[in-house]
Amino acid sequence: MEFFLIAFIVFADQISKYGAIRYLKNRRPYVVLENFLQLNYVENRGAAFGILEHKRLFFIIITLAIIIFLSFYMIKNYNNLSIFTRISFSILIAGAAGNLIDRIRLGYVVDFISFRLKGYYNFPVFNIADTFIVISTILVVIIILFDKIEA
């Protein structure tokens, strides 16, 4: 089941990025909800908030290490991990893989979702892979806080 979840998320991420390149690149942002949500093509050559810009090889190595480590950990401890833990790790792997594909293929990560809280905060532009990385991180924190990693 986890393999299909990973494959589905990576597929959805890559299709959405293809759409962003095709329909948003070199165009004005598409406003979905005024002063709240817009689709805006951005080429992110760093990490969150554009930090460590132009460190492509570093991100490729770190991302591959995380994907390999989590994959082996899940395989080795599969029967000892709760479904909640397996899903958390799977969506982290999927998000990391989605952005890794961009870094290898394009040299940057395609971001296109832009949220704003009018007058308060502009979130960094992100993508579907980023969303799953954040969700998985929150889930892993919950697992750790409640000591639910069985293996």
Side-chain angles (χ1 to χ4, degrees):
M1 179 190 103
E2 290 81 8
F3 173 78
F4 293 109
L5 177 62
I6 292 168
F8 175 77
I9 292 169
V10 170
F11 179 76
D13 175 65
Q14 290 299 301
I15 288 294
S16 68
K17 290 173 179 174
Y18 171 80
I21 292 168
R22 182 171 171 112
Y23 299 108
L24 299 172
K25 187 175 183 177
N26 299 321
R27 296 194 175 119
R28 296 172 59 91
Y30 177 79
V31 177
V32 178
L33 294 170
E34 190 70 36
N35 294 316
F36 181 67
L37 173 63
Q38 66 181 16
L39 303 177
N40 183 24
Y41 178 84
V42 173
E43 294 176 358
N44 185 349
R45 298 177 191 281
F49 307 100
I51 61 171
L52 297 174
E53 196 169 349
H54 303 294
K55 301 293 184 195
R56 178 178 175 223
L57 183 60
F58 171 76
F59 286 117
I60 289 172
I61 292 168
I62 294 298
T63 304
L64 277 172
I66 290 168
I67 291 170
I68 291 167
F69 172 79
L70 280 177
S71 297
F72 280 120
Y73 183 84
M74 282 181 56
I75 291 166
K76 183 177 182 228
N77 298 293
Y78 188 84
N79 292 326
N80 298 324
L81 297 174
S82 70
I83 187 69
F84 188 69
T85 301
R86 293 193 314 259
I87 289 172
S88 300
F89 289 172
S90 295
I91 64 175
L92 179 57
I93 290 168
N99 285 340
L100 178 64
I101 290 168
D102 283 12
R103 286 190 201 288
I104 291 171
R105 188 172 66 95
L106 303 170
Y108 54 85
V109 174
V110 173
D111 289 333
F112 60 93
I113 304 169
S114 177
F115 275 108
R116 292 182 180 169
L117 297 177
K118 186 180 176 186
Y120 296 103
Y121 188 71
N122 288 340
F123 291 91
V125 180
F126 60 97
N127 59 47
I128 290 176
D130 296 335
T131 302
F132 281 101
I133 290 169
V134 170
I135 291 168
S136 68
T137 302
I138 292 167
L139 293 176
V140 168
V141 167
I142 291 168
I143 291 166
I144 290 169
L145 287 175
F146 294 100
D147 197 26
K148 295 296 181 190
I149 295 181
E150 289 78 19

